[in-house]
Amino acid sequence: AQTVTQSQPEMSVQEAETVTLSCTYDTSESDYYLFWYKQPPSRQMILVIRQEAYKQQNATENRFSVNFQKAAKSFSLKISDSQLGDAAMYFCAYSMWGAQKLVFGQGTRLTINP
Amino acid sequence: SQTIHQWPATLVQPVGSPLSLECTVEGTSNPNLYWYRQAAGRGLQLLFYSVGIGQISSEVPQNLSASRPQDRQFILSSKKLLLSDSGFYLCAWRGLAGGMETQYFGPGTRLLVL
């Protein structure tokens, strides 16, 4: 069964600094998708960034980028120029290609210090 | 554009009472729909998914059931709530954006069973 592990329950960063959140996953599949979702205090899950496993180029969305290491099964999220509004729980998620199920990690709580 | 609605936003129910949570999607037709539950401080667990009207797949055995009476409506129900049913319930729909299947979440329902 596929599993997703986020080894950092909590992280903190100074405003305007850069922070990296870690995620590893376990799968025997070669085609799959990876996601980072943000859950602010409102608790709505908001898509931050996504990556297709067959693409070697790392995805970027403005201040958010990933470091996708397929052989190592690692998918870290880098947030540059951290802002107060970035404070939230961040969840890494995996989906096998064509499957219905999203498998989530346990989350990392990110605090931004002003 | 597509939007997803859930209601109620918050619900407090006694043990043994029935439950009905509703999810509707606008701006798309025949979407795949999902119900997730999030226990406090944890990741999301897929409960049910539906690929069409009347088609329900259950991921975990439990006290809950789901129905899809209309194309863009997904309902989560229980005949008798248990204390362990407390949690945050999220509905999601799956879209194809940029060639990649992605799940988008509603605002969620907080359920407290007393």
Side-chain angles (χ1 to χ4, degrees), chain B residues 42-72:
Chain B
R42 298 184 66 84
L44 275 65
Q45 180 186 39
L46 179 63
L47 301 176
F48 300 96
Y49 69 88
S50 172
V51 299
I53 295 173
Q55 301 179 63
I56 307 295
S57 296
S58 174
E59 283 293 305
V60 293
Q62 59 205 314
N63 183 44
L64 302 169
S65 62
S67 62
R68 187 165 176 180
Q70 300 181 40
D71 181 42
R72 286 170 285 180

Side-chain angles (χ1 to χ4, degrees), chain B residues 2 4 7 12 16 25 33 39 52 60-61 66 68 84 86 95:
Chain B
Q2 298 84 8
I4 180 168
W7 61 88
V12 181
V25 181
L33 296 173
V60 293
R68 187 165 176 180
S84 58
S86 292

Side-chain angles (χ1 to χ4, degrees), chain A residues 33-79:
Chain A
Y33 304 129
L34 296 163
F35 306 85
W36 279 98
Y37 285 89
K38 168 185 176 181
Q39 188 177 41
S42 68
R43 298 192 73 179
Q44 181 163 7
M45 296 289 282
I46 301 167
L47 178 68
V48 175
I49 198 166
R50 53 194 176 176
Q51 175 85 38
E52 294 167 275
Y54 75 87
K55 289 187 177 179
Q56 294 185 345
Q57 185 174 6
N58 290 323
T60 62
E61 288 287 344
N62 300 314
R63 296 183 296 108
F64 299 87
S65 61
V66 298
N67 183 5
F68 174 47
Q69 302 289 329
K70 190 172 184 178
K73 297 180 183 177
S74 172
F75 184 60
S76 60
L77 174 69
K78 185 172 81 171
I79 307 174

Side-chain angles (χ1 to χ4, degrees), chain A residues 31-33 95-101, chain B residues 32 34 49 94 101:
Chain A
D31 293 327
Y32 50 88
Y33 304 129
S95 176
M96 191 171 64
W97 185 86
Q100 299 293 336
K101 190 174 183 177
Chain B
N32 287 5
Y34 307 83
Y49 69 88
R94 189 171 76 176
E101 296 170 340

Side-chain angles (χ1 to χ4, degrees), chain A residues 79-93:
Chain A
I79 307 174
S80 304
D81 185 25
S82 298
Q83 300 176 0
L84 295 177
D86 294 333
M89 283 288 288
Y90 285 81
F91 290 95
C92 179

